[in-house]
Amino acid sequence: MYLHLRLATTCFIACFQEAPTANAVSDLTSTSFRASWQAPPDALEYQLDVSADTFNTYLPGFQLKTLTALADTLTGLSANTHYQYRVRAIGPNTCYSFYSDTIVLTTTGTLAIDTDALIALYNATNGSNWSNNSGWLTGQASNTWFGIVVSDNR
C-alpha cells in the first residue's frame, strides 16, 4: 500500500509492508534450531535477527541477515542457552515491515553435560560403595547406569 503526501512543494511516498508471522522453533537440538515464518503479501526478502541477550547484541552474521527463503537453520550454538529471533519483511520499493513477534527458545542440554554431573555425584557420595552401582563408570552410556532414566536426551 502506498500513500502519497504533498507538503508544500515536496512530495513524500510512504509505504506499508505487512510483517511476517514468526513460527515456533523446529528441529531444536543442543547446538541448533530452525527459524521459520509465514510470508505476508508482497514480501520480496526478509531480514532475520538472532540474539542471546534480547537484541542488545546479535549472533555473528544474524543482525539483519537478508534472506529470500521462509526459514533458516542456525548451527554451532551453545547448549542450554536462551536465544531469541525475529524477522521483518522487505517489500516493493524497499518498504520495510515492523518486526514479527519475538520467538524465545532454549537449546537443549546434552547427555554429556548430564553425565559429567552424574560422575561428580558418584564421586562425591562414595559411589563405589553403593549397594547397587551397576553400569556406573564402566564406559557404558549413562542411560544404562543403575537408577538413571533418560528422557528427551536428558
Short mmCIF file of all heavy atoms in Angstrom, two decimals, residues 36-89:
data_model
loop_
_atom_site.label_atom_id
_atom_site.label_comp_id
_atom_site.label_asym_id
_atom_site.label_seq_id
_atom_site.Cartn_x
_atom_site.Cartn_y
_atom_site.Cartn_z
N SER A 36 11.59 -20.16 11.27
CA SER A 36 10.77 -20.06 10.06
C SER A 36 9.65 -19.06 10.29
O SER A 36 9.34 -18.69 11.42
CB SER A 36 10.21 -21.43 9.67
OG SER A 36 9.31 -21.89 10.65
N TRP A 37 9.04 -18.64 9.20
CA TRP A 37 7.99 -17.64 9.27
C TRP A 37 7.08 -17.77 8.07
O TRP A 37 7.40 -18.40 7.08
CB TRP A 37 8.59 -16.23 9.34
CG TRP A 37 9.62 -15.96 8.30
CD1 TRP A 37 9.43 -15.43 7.07
CD2 TRP A 37 11.02 -16.26 8.39
NE1 TRP A 37 10.62 -15.35 6.38
CE2 TRP A 37 11.62 -15.87 7.17
CE3 TRP A 37 11.83 -16.83 9.37
CZ2 TRP A 37 12.97 -16.02 6.92
CZ3 TRP A 37 13.18 -16.97 9.12
CH2 TRP A 37 13.74 -16.56 7.91
N GLN A 38 5.91 -17.13 8.19
CA GLN A 38 4.94 -17.11 7.11
C GLN A 38 5.06 -15.79 6.37
O GLN A 38 5.19 -14.73 6.98
CB GLN A 38 3.53 -17.29 7.67
CG GLN A 38 3.34 -18.63 8.34
CD GLN A 38 2.01 -18.72 9.05
OE1 GLN A 38 1.12 -17.89 8.87
NE2 GLN A 38 1.86 -19.75 9.87
N ALA A 39 4.98 -15.86 5.06
CA ALA A 39 5.16 -14.68 4.22
C ALA A 39 3.92 -13.80 4.22
O ALA A 39 2.81 -14.28 4.03
CB ALA A 39 5.47 -15.12 2.79
N PRO A 40 4.11 -12.50 4.38
CA PRO A 40 2.99 -11.58 4.18
C PRO A 40 2.87 -11.26 2.69
O PRO A 40 3.79 -11.53 1.91
CB PRO A 40 3.43 -10.34 4.97
CG PRO A 40 4.91 -10.36 4.88
CD PRO A 40 5.30 -11.82 4.88
N PRO A 41 1.76 -10.67 2.27
CA PRO A 41 1.61 -10.31 0.85
C PRO A 41 2.71 -9.35 0.39
O PRO A 41 3.15 -8.49 1.15
CB PRO A 41 0.24 -9.61 0.81
CG PRO A 41 -0.47 -10.07 2.03
CD PRO A 41 0.58 -10.33 3.06
N ASP A 42 3.16 -9.52 -0.81
CA ASP A 42 4.11 -8.65 -1.49
C ASP A 42 5.54 -8.67 -0.95
O ASP A 42 6.38 -7.91 -1.40
CB ASP A 42 3.63 -7.19 -1.51
CG ASP A 42 2.32 -7.03 -2.24
OD1 ASP A 42 2.11 -7.75 -3.24
OD2 ASP A 42 1.50 -6.20 -1.81
N ALA A 43 5.84 -9.51 0.02
CA ALA A 43 7.21 -9.55 0.57
C ALA A 43 8.17 -10.12 -0.48
O ALA A 43 7.87 -11.10 -1.15
CB ALA A 43 7.26 -10.39 1.82
N LEU A 44 9.32 -9.47 -0.61
CA LEU A 44 10.34 -9.91 -1.57
C LEU A 44 11.54 -10.54 -0.87
O LEU A 44 12.18 -11.43 -1.40
CB LEU A 44 10.80 -8.71 -2.41
CG LEU A 44 9.71 -7.97 -3.18
CD1 LEU A 44 10.28 -6.72 -3.83
CD2 LEU A 44 9.07 -8.89 -4.20
N GLU A 45 11.88 -10.02 0.31
CA GLU A 45 13.01 -10.50 1.09
C GLU A 45 12.65 -10.40 2.57
O GLU A 45 11.66 -9.77 2.94
CB GLU A 45 14.26 -9.64 0.86
CG GLU A 45 14.82 -9.71 -0.53
CD GLU A 45 16.08 -8.85 -0.66
OE1 GLU A 45 16.09 -7.70 -0.16
OE2 GLU A 45 17.04 -9.34 -1.25
N TYR A 46 13.53 -10.97 3.40
CA TYR A 46 13.34 -10.95 4.85
C TYR A 46 14.66 -10.61 5.52
O TYR A 46 15.73 -10.90 4.98
CB TYR A 46 12.83 -12.31 5.34
CG TYR A 46 11.58 -12.70 4.62
CD1 TYR A 46 11.64 -13.48 3.47
CD2 TYR A 46 10.35 -12.22 5.03
CE1 TYR A 46 10.50 -13.79 2.76
CE2 TYR A 46 9.20 -12.53 4.32
CZ TYR A 46 9.28 -13.32 3.19
OH TYR A 46 8.15 -13.62 2.49
N GLN A 47 14.59 -10.02 6.68
CA GLN A 47 15.78 -9.77 7.48
C GLN A 47 15.58 -10.45 8.83
O GLN A 47 14.62 -10.16 9.55
CB GLN A 47 16.02 -8.28 7.66
CG GLN A 47 16.47 -7.62 6.36
CD GLN A 47 16.77 -6.15 6.53
OE1 GLN A 47 16.17 -5.46 7.33
NE2 GLN A 47 17.71 -5.67 5.74
N LEU A 48 16.52 -11.34 9.15
CA LEU A 48 16.45 -12.16 10.36
C LEU A 48 17.46 -11.64 11.38
O LEU A 48 18.62 -11.42 11.05
CB LEU A 48 16.77 -13.62 10.00
CG LEU A 48 16.84 -14.62 11.14
CD1 LEU A 48 15.49 -14.76 11.84
CD2 LEU A 48 17.32 -15.97 10.59
N ASP A 49 16.99 -11.45 12.61
CA ASP A 49 17.85 -11.10 13.74
C ASP A 49 17.81 -12.25 14.74
O ASP A 49 16.73 -12.77 15.05
CB ASP A 49 17.34 -9.85 14.48
CG ASP A 49 17.48 -8.57 13.69
OD1 ASP A 49 18.26 -8.54 12.73
OD2 ASP A 49 16.80 -7.60 14.06
N VAL A 50 18.99 -12.64 15.26
CA VAL A 50 19.06 -13.67 16.29
C VAL A 50 20.00 -13.16 17.38
O VAL A 50 21.08 -12.64 17.09
CB VAL A 50 19.58 -15.02 15.74
CG1 VAL A 50 19.59 -16.08 16.84
CG2 VAL A 50 18.73 -15.48 14.57
N SER A 51 19.57 -13.33 18.63
CA SER A 51 20.32 -12.80 19.76
C SER A 51 20.26 -13.76 20.93
O SER A 51 19.36 -14.60 21.02
CB SER A 51 19.70 -11.45 20.17
OG SER A 51 20.32 -10.92 21.31
N ALA A 52 21.19 -13.61 21.84
CA ALA A 52 21.16 -14.36 23.10
C ALA A 52 20.91 -13.43 24.27
O ALA A 52 20.88 -13.86 25.42
CB ALA A 52 22.48 -15.12 23.30
N ASP A 53 20.71 -12.13 24.00
CA ASP A 53 20.51 -11.17 25.09
C ASP A 53 19.44 -10.12 24.72
O ASP A 53 19.64 -8.93 24.91
CB ASP A 53 21.83 -10.50 25.47
CG ASP A 53 22.46 -9.73 24.32
OD1 ASP A 53 21.84 -9.59 23.24
OD2 ASP A 53 23.59 -9.24 24.51
N THR A 54 18.33 -10.58 24.25
CA THR A 54 17.18 -9.74 23.87
C THR A 54 17.56 -8.57 22.96
O THR A 54 17.10 -7.45 23.13
CB THR A 54 16.39 -9.23 25.09
OG1 THR A 54 17.25 -8.45 25.92
CG2 THR A 54 15.82 -10.37 25.90
N PHE A 55 18.41 -8.86 21.99
CA PHE A 55 18.78 -7.95 20.91
C PHE A 55 19.62 -6.75 21.36
O PHE A 55 19.69 -5.75 20.66
CB PHE A 55 17.54 -7.49 20.11
CG PHE A 55 16.74 -8.66 19.60
CD1 PHE A 55 15.52 -8.98 20.16
CD2 PHE A 55 17.24 -9.46 18.60
CE1 PHE A 55 14.80 -10.07 19.71
CE2 PHE A 55 16.53 -10.56 18.14
CZ PHE A 55 15.30 -10.87 18.70
N ASN A 56 20.30 -6.89 22.50
CA ASN A 56 21.33 -5.90 22.84
C ASN A 56 22.54 -6.13 21.95
O ASN A 56 23.22 -5.18 21.55
CB ASN A 56 21.72 -5.99 24.31
CG ASN A 56 20.59 -5.52 25.20
OD1 ASN A 56 20.01 -4.47 24.98
ND2 ASN A 56 20.26 -6.31 26.21
N THR A 57 22.82 -7.41 21.67
CA THR A 57 23.84 -7.80 20.71
C THR A 57 23.24 -8.90 19.85
O THR A 57 22.17 -9.43 20.16
CB THR A 57 25.13 -8.31 21.39
OG1 THR A 57 24.81 -9.48 22.15
CG2 THR A 57 25.75 -7.24 22.29
N TYR A 58 23.93 -9.27 18.78
CA TYR A 58 23.42 -10.26 17.84
C TYR A 58 24.45 -11.34 17.63
O TYR A 58 25.66 -11.11 17.76
CB TYR A 58 23.10 -9.59 16.49
CG TYR A 58 22.05 -8.52 16.63
CD1 TYR A 58 22.39 -7.22 16.99
CD2 TYR A 58 20.71 -8.81 16.43
CE1 TYR A 58 21.43 -6.24 17.15
CE2 TYR A 58 19.74 -7.84 16.58
CZ TYR A 58 20.10 -6.56 16.95
OH TYR A 58 19.14 -5.60 17.11
N LEU A 59 23.98 -12.53 17.27
CA LEU A 59 24.91 -13.59 16.90
C LEU A 59 25.63 -13.15 15.62
O LEU A 59 25.03 -12.50 14.76
CB LEU A 59 24.18 -14.90 16.66
CG LEU A 59 23.43 -15.50 17.85
CD1 LEU A 59 22.93 -16.89 17.48
CD2 LEU A 59 24.29 -15.57 19.08
N PRO A 60 26.90 -13.50 15.48
CA PRO A 60 27.64 -13.09 14.28
C PRO A 60 26.91 -13.52 13.00
O PRO A 60 26.52 -14.68 12.85
CB PRO A 60 28.97 -13.82 14.42
CG PRO A 60 29.13 -14.02 15.90
CD PRO A 60 27.73 -14.25 16.42
N GLY A 61 26.69 -12.57 12.12
CA GLY A 61 26.02 -12.84 10.85
C GLY A 61 24.51 -12.85 10.93
O GLY A 61 23.83 -13.09 9.93
N PHE A 62 23.95 -12.55 12.11
CA PHE A 62 22.50 -12.61 12.28
C PHE A 62 21.90 -11.30 12.78
O PHE A 62 20.97 -11.29 13.56
CB PHE A 62 22.09 -13.78 13.17
CG PHE A 62 22.19 -15.09 12.46
CD1 PHE A 62 23.34 -15.84 12.54
CD2 PHE A 62 21.15 -15.55 11.67
CE1 PHE A 62 23.45 -17.04 11.85
CE2 PHE A 62 21.24 -16.74 10.98
CZ PHE A 62 22.40 -17.49 11.07
N GLN A 63 22.46 -10.20 12.34
CA GLN A 63 21.81 -8.91 12.52
C GLN A 63 21.40 -8.45 11.13
O GLN A 63 22.24 -8.21 10.27
CB GLN A 63 22.72 -7.89 13.17
CG GLN A 63 22.02 -6.56 13.37
CD GLN A 63 22.89 -5.53 14.09
OE1 GLN A 63 24.09 -5.71 14.24
NE2 GLN A 63 22.29 -4.44 14.50
N LEU A 64 20.11 -8.42 10.90
CA LEU A 64 19.55 -8.05 9.60
C LEU A 64 20.06 -8.96 8.48
O LEU A 64 20.33 -8.51 7.37
CB LEU A 64 19.85 -6.58 9.27
CG LEU A 64 19.35 -5.56 10.30
CD1 LEU A 64 19.82 -4.15 9.92
CD2 LEU A 64 17.85 -5.61 10.45
N LYS A 65 20.18 -10.25 8.77
CA LYS A 65 20.60 -11.21 7.74
C LYS A 65 19.52 -11.27 6.67
O LYS A 65 18.37 -11.60 6.95
CB LYS A 65 20.82 -12.59 8.34
CG LYS A 65 21.25 -13.62 7.29
CD LYS A 65 21.48 -14.99 7.89
CE LYS A 65 21.92 -15.96 6.79
NZ LYS A 65 22.12 -17.31 7.33
N THR A 66 19.87 -10.95 5.45
CA THR A 66 18.90 -10.90 4.36
C THR A 66 18.72 -12.28 3.74
O THR A 66 19.69 -12.95 3.41
CB THR A 66 19.35 -9.89 3.30
OG1 THR A 66 19.47 -8.60 3.93
CG2 THR A 66 18.34 -9.79 2.18
N LEU A 67 17.46 -12.68 3.61
CA LEU A 67 17.09 -13.98 3.07
C LEU A 67 15.91 -13.83 2.12
O LEU A 67 15.11 -12.93 2.26
CB LEU A 67 16.66 -14.93 4.20
CG LEU A 67 17.67 -15.19 5.30
CD1 LEU A 67 16.98 -15.68 6.55
CD2 LEU A 67 18.67 -16.21 4.82
N THR A 68 15.82 -14.75 1.16
CA THR A 68 14.61 -14.83 0.34
C THR A 68 13.77 -16.04 0.73
O THR A 68 12.60 -16.11 0.39
CB THR A 68 14.96 -14.91 -1.17
OG1 THR A 68 15.84 -16.01 -1.38
CG2 THR A 68 15.62 -13.62 -1.64
N ALA A 69 14.36 -16.97 1.45
CA ALA A 69 13.66 -18.18 1.91
C ALA A 69 12.79 -17.84 3.12
O ALA A 69 12.96 -16.80 3.76
CB ALA A 69 14.66 -19.26 2.28
N LEU A 70 11.88 -18.75 3.45
CA LEU A 70 10.99 -18.56 4.59
C LEU A 70 11.49 -19.29 5.84
O LEU A 70 10.73 -19.50 6.78
CB LEU A 70 9.58 -19.06 4.24
CG LEU A 70 8.87 -18.26 3.16
CD1 LEU A 70 7.55 -18.92 2.79
CD2 LEU A 70 8.67 -16.82 3.61
N ALA A 71 12.79 -19.65 5.86
CA ALA A 71 13.36 -20.33 7.02
C ALA A 71 14.88 -20.27 6.94
O ALA A 71 15.46 -20.03 5.87
CB ALA A 71 12.90 -21.79 7.05
N ASP A 72 15.50 -20.46 8.10
CA ASP A 72 16.96 -20.53 8.16
C ASP A 72 17.32 -21.41 9.35
O ASP A 72 16.67 -21.33 10.40
CB ASP A 72 17.56 -19.14 8.30
CG ASP A 72 19.05 -19.10 7.97
OD1 ASP A 72 19.50 -19.94 7.17
OD2 ASP A 72 19.75 -18.22 8.50
N THR A 73 18.35 -22.24 9.18
CA THR A 73 18.81 -23.11 10.26
C THR A 73 20.09 -22.54 10.84
O THR A 73 21.03 -22.26 10.11
CB THR A 73 19.04 -24.54 9.74
OG1 THR A 73 17.79 -25.05 9.25
CG2 THR A 73 19.56 -25.45 10.85
N LEU A 74 20.10 -22.37 12.15
CA LEU A 74 21.28 -21.88 12.85
C LEU A 74 21.99 -23.06 13.47
O LEU A 74 21.35 -23.92 14.08
CB LEU A 74 20.87 -20.90 13.95
CG LEU A 74 20.42 -19.53 13.44
CD1 LEU A 74 18.99 -19.56 13.01
CD2 LEU A 74 20.66 -18.50 14.50
N THR A 75 23.30 -23.10 13.34
CA THR A 75 24.10 -24.18 13.90
C THR A 75 25.26 -23.60 14.70
O THR A 75 25.51 -22.39 14.67
CB THR A 75 24.66 -25.08 12.79
OG1 THR A 75 25.48 -24.30 11.92
CG2 THR A 75 23.54 -25.74 11.98
N GLY A 76 25.96 -24.45 15.43
CA GLY A 76 27.12 -24.02 16.20
C GLY A 76 26.76 -23.24 17.45
O GLY A 76 27.57 -22.47 17.96
N LEU A 77 25.56 -23.44 17.97
CA LEU A 77 25.10 -22.72 19.15
C LEU A 77 25.56 -23.42 20.43
O LEU A 77 26.03 -24.55 20.39
CB LEU A 77 23.57 -22.61 19.12
CG LEU A 77 22.98 -21.97 17.87
CD1 LEU A 77 21.46 -22.03 17.91
CD2 LEU A 77 23.48 -20.55 17.71
N SER A 78 25.38 -22.77 21.55
CA SER A 78 25.73 -23.34 22.84
C SER A 78 24.53 -24.05 23.45
O SER A 78 23.40 -23.58 23.35
CB SER A 78 26.20 -22.24 23.80
OG SER A 78 27.34 -21.60 23.29
N ALA A 79 24.79 -25.18 24.11
CA ALA A 79 23.73 -25.94 24.77
C ALA A 79 23.20 -25.17 25.98
O ALA A 79 23.91 -24.35 26.57
CB ALA A 79 24.27 -27.30 25.21
N ASN A 80 21.94 -25.43 26.31
CA ASN A 80 21.28 -24.83 27.48
C ASN A 80 21.38 -23.31 27.47
O ASN A 80 21.63 -22.68 28.49
CB ASN A 80 21.89 -25.37 28.78
CG ASN A 80 21.59 -26.82 28.97
OD1 ASN A 80 20.47 -27.27 28.78
ND2 ASN A 80 22.60 -27.59 29.34
N THR A 81 21.19 -22.70 26.32
CA THR A 81 21.32 -21.25 26.19
C THR A 81 20.02 -20.67 25.63
O THR A 81 19.40 -21.24 24.75
CB THR A 81 22.50 -20.90 25.25
OG1 THR A 81 23.68 -21.49 25.79
CG2 THR A 81 22.69 -19.41 25.13
N HIS A 82 19.63 -19.53 26.18
CA HIS A 82 18.44 -18.82 25.71
C HIS A 82 18.79 -18.02 24.46
O HIS A 82 19.80 -17.31 24.43
CB HIS A 82 17.90 -17.88 26.78
CG HIS A 82 17.52 -18.55 28.05
ND1 HIS A 82 16.40 -19.34 28.16
CD2 HIS A 82 18.12 -18.58 29.26
CE1 HIS A 82 16.32 -19.81 29.39
NE2 HIS A 82 17.35 -19.37 30.06
N TYR A 83 17.94 -18.12 23.45
CA TYR A 83 18.09 -17.33 22.22
C TYR A 83 16.74 -16.75 21.87
O TYR A 83 15.69 -17.23 22.31
CB TYR A 83 18.56 -18.21 21.06
CG TYR A 83 19.96 -18.74 21.22
CD1 TYR A 83 20.19 -20.03 21.69
CD2 TYR A 83 21.06 -17.94 20.90
CE1 TYR A 83 21.48 -20.51 21.84
CE2 TYR A 83 22.35 -18.42 21.05
CZ TYR A 83 22.56 -19.70 21.52
OH TYR A 83 23.84 -20.17 21.66
N GLN A 84 16.76 -15.70 21.04
CA GLN A 84 15.54 -15.09 20.52
C GLN A 84 15.75 -14.82 19.04
O GLN A 84 16.87 -14.55 18.61
CB GLN A 84 15.24 -13.73 21.19
CG GLN A 84 15.23 -13.71 22.70
CD GLN A 84 16.62 -13.56 23.29
OE1 GLN A 84 17.44 -12.81 22.80
NE2 GLN A 84 16.89 -14.28 24.37
N TYR A 85 14.66 -14.90 18.30
CA TYR A 85 14.73 -14.47 16.90
C TYR A 85 13.49 -13.69 16.52
O TYR A 85 12.42 -13.84 17.12
CB TYR A 85 15.00 -15.63 15.95
CG TYR A 85 13.83 -16.45 15.49
CD1 TYR A 85 13.06 -16.05 14.40
CD2 TYR A 85 13.50 -17.65 16.11
CE1 TYR A 85 12.00 -16.81 13.95
CE2 TYR A 85 12.46 -18.43 15.66
CZ TYR A 85 11.70 -17.99 14.59
OH TYR A 85 10.65 -18.75 14.15
N ARG A 86 13.67 -12.83 15.55
CA ARG A 86 12.59 -12.03 14.98
C ARG A 86 12.94 -11.80 13.51
O ARG A 86 14.09 -11.92 13.10
CB ARG A 86 12.44 -10.70 15.71
CG ARG A 86 13.65 -9.79 15.58
CD ARG A 86 13.55 -8.57 16.43
NE ARG A 86 14.73 -7.71 16.24
CZ ARG A 86 14.99 -6.65 16.95
NH1 ARG A 86 14.18 -6.29 17.94
NH2 ARG A 86 16.08 -5.94 16.70
N VAL A 87 11.92 -11.46 12.73
CA VAL A 87 12.13 -11.27 11.29
C VAL A 87 11.25 -10.13 10.82
O VAL A 87 10.18 -9.86 11.40
CB VAL A 87 11.84 -12.60 10.54
CG1 VAL A 87 10.39 -13.03 10.69
CG2 VAL A 87 12.24 -12.52 9.09
N ARG A 88 11.70 -9.43 9.81
CA ARG A 88 10.87 -8.42 9.18
C ARG A 88 10.95 -8.61 7.67
O ARG A 88 11.87 -9.23 7.15
CB ARG A 88 11.28 -7.00 9.57
CG ARG A 88 12.61 -6.53 9.05
CD ARG A 88 12.89 -5.11 9.52
NE ARG A 88 14.17 -4.63 9.05
CZ ARG A 88 14.62 -3.43 9.26
NH1 ARG A 88 13.89 -2.56 9.94
NH2 ARG A 88 15.80 -3.06 8.81
N ALA A 89 9.94 -8.08 6.99
CA ALA A 89 9.85 -8.25 5.54
C ALA A 89 10.28 -6.97 4.84
O ALA A 89 10.18 -5.87 5.38
CB ALA A 89 8.41 -8.59 5.14
#
